[in-house]
Amino acid sequence: DTLELRWFTAGSIPTEIVDWFTDRGQTGVVEQRCDTYSLDERADLGVKLRFGVVPELKECLAAESIALEDARLAGRLETWRKWSPADQLVASAGDRWVEVHKTITKRRFSAQGQEVAITEPLVLEAGTDVEIVAVTMGDVEMWSFAFAAYGPSSERCAAIAACCKTVLAPTTPASLVLTASSSASYPGLLATIAAPPDLTLTS
């Protein structure tokens, strides 16, 4: 299970945000991949093929609107549960899919907000991953900024709050706008898409 905050913005990632995020990160990693998502209009359930191959299922267990005044953000704080691989669970997925190409730059922080090396998260230790993602779906280009806390459920909210204070203070670029109106998960974003012709659909 993870506790997540995510935002999407149209267009490419501003250079000042890339420079800000990568210059400050000493232990981050970059990953490029293409995930194929089912278009089923459900914001609370996500079905995808990771790298176009491994079936995964994510279900939103809880959600609430939050605003952190000192960190200059507002959005949807969502608890997600993921199954991977999920062959048996996604066998009945629909026949409408979209390829989502991602370039992910990720950093990791301890429960106290200190940056740490990215390794497999410890089950008994809370922490937060932060990422910026360049996203392409057909001719549609956008980018995402997100926090995802893991570890004991009672510690995840505090871990995200500590991470926000570290990452966003005090030199956040003005172009990093984290508002409630732009806050959404991947399933939430895709639920609003009615398969326009500029998206690459597969079946």
Side-chain angles (χ1 to χ4, degrees):
D1 292 359
T2 52
L3 186 64
E4 302 183 12
L5 271 167
R6 182 177 293 276
W7 297 265
F8 286 94
T9 304
S12 58
I13 307 176
T15 301
E16 65 174 350
I17 289 181
V18 175
D19 292 344
W20 162 77
F21 193 73
T22 56
D23 286 351
R24 297 182 64 201
Q26 302 300 315
T27 61
V29 297
V30 178
E31 177 186 13
Q32 290 187 327
R33 71 172 191 257
C34 177
D35 296 331
T36 306
Y37 285 81
S38 174
L39 290 174
D40 59 6
E41 300 182 0
R42 289 194 58 176
D44 64 333
L45 198 67
V47 176
K48 77 177 182 183
L49 301 177
R50 190 180 184 89
F51 292 105
V53 177
V54 181
E56 291 187 349
L57 172 70
K58 286 187 74 173
E59 179 184 10
C60 185
L61 304 180
E64 62 178 312
S65 298
I66 68 161
L68 301 179
E69 183 177 351
D70 58 343
R72 295 183 295 164
L73 65 82
R76 284 178 55 83
L77 187 65
E78 301 176 330
T79 299
W80 289 87
R81 176 165 293 170
K82 181 172 74 173
W83 292 265
S84 179
D87 303 77
Q88 303 273 341
L89 297 173
V90 302
S92 60
D95 58 0
R96 298 171 61 236
W97 299 79
V98 60
E99 293 182 346
V100 180
H101 297 264
K102 307 173 184 176
T103 300
I104 305 166
T105 303
K106 180 182 295 185
R107 296 164 59 190
R108 179 162 293 171
F109 295 81
S110 70
Q112 294 73 41
Q114 298 173 325
E115 188 159 11
V116 296
I118 293 183
T119 58
E120 288 299 316
L122 299 175
V123 175
L124 299 179
E125 183 177 344
T128 304
D129 287 347
V130 187
E131 64 181 31
I132 55 172
V133 189
V135 179
T136 304
M137 297 182 290
D139 293 335
V140 178
E141 186 177 12
M142 61 184 63
W143 61 278
S144 178
F145 184 80
F147 297 91
Y150 54 86
S153 59
S154 61
E155 301 177 20
R156 293 179 207 142
C157 191
I160 279 188
C163 183
C164 287
K165 290 181 179 180
T166 299
V167 174
L168 300 180
T171 58
T172 308
S175 53
L176 184 65
V177 180
L178 307 176
T179 62
S181 61
S182 62
S183 181
S185 62
Y186 279 100
L189 173 72
L190 294 172
T192 67
I193 295 176
D198 56 358
L199 292 182
T200 302
L201 300 179
T202 61
S203 61

